[in-house]
């Protein structure tokens, strides 16, 4: 899945939100199963941590695959904006809500 890589090519926060760039009618059959699953899951915005948990995939592997998919234009990653080192309360509430749904 990762080609032996243990870290993503770009920095990717665990709380970063991910959304699919592909439409419902886009043919995903040429993608590996992991990328198909991530693309389908991300039709609803999800955090990196949530994707890893839902797919029962190690977090490090999920980060590498998600970063690769972002580089290929299959998904969009929305990194959190931290002001002076303080996390955005709204973002933390959304992540907590997503974790509770698990």
């Amino acid at each position: 899945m990762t080609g032996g890589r243990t870290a993503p090519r770009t920095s990717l926060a665990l709380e970063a939100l991910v959304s699919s760039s592909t439409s419902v009618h886009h043919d995903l059959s040429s993608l590996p199963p992991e990328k198909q699953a991530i693309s389908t899951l991300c039709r609803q915005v999800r955090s990196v941590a949530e994707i890893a948990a839902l797919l029962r995939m190690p977090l490090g592997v999920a980060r590498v695959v998600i970063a690769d998919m972002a580089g290929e234009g299959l998904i969009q990653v929305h990194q959190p904006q931290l002001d002076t080192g303080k996390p955005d309360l709204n973002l933390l509430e959304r992540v907590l809500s997503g974790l509770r749904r698990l």
Side-chain angles (χ1 to χ4, degrees):
M1 274 188 278
T2 65
R5 290 175 290 128
T6 58
R9 291 186 175 122
T10 58
S11 177
L12 190 60
L14 300 177
E15 67 273 13
L17 299 176
V18 183
S19 61
S20 181
S21 296
T22 59
S23 71
V24 176
H25 304 294
H26 188 266
D27 181 22
L28 302 174
S29 63
S30 63
L31 296 175
E34 299 80 20
K35 289 184 178 182
Q36 288 179 22
I38 290 172
S39 185
T40 301
L41 269 179
C42 292
R43 290 192 177 126
Q44 295 180 359
V45 177
R46 301 191 187 266
S47 71
V48 172
E50 187 177 8
I51 294 166
L54 288 170
L55 295 179
R56 298 174 194 241
M57 180 183 291
L59 191 54
V61 172
R63 290 176 70 203
V64 170
V65 175
I66 290 168
D68 288 351
M69 290 179 70
E72 295 168 14
L74 296 171
I75 56 173
Q76 293 179 353
V77 176
H78 312 278
Q79 293 279 20
Q81 299 296 321
L82 301 179
D83 295 335
T84 63
K86 296 180 183 175
D88 179 37
L89 184 57
N90 191 20
L91 171 64
L92 292 176
E93 289 173 352
R94 289 192 313 246
V95 170
L96 183 58
S97 173
L99 290 172
R100 283 184 179 142
R101 287 192 309 254
L102 294 175

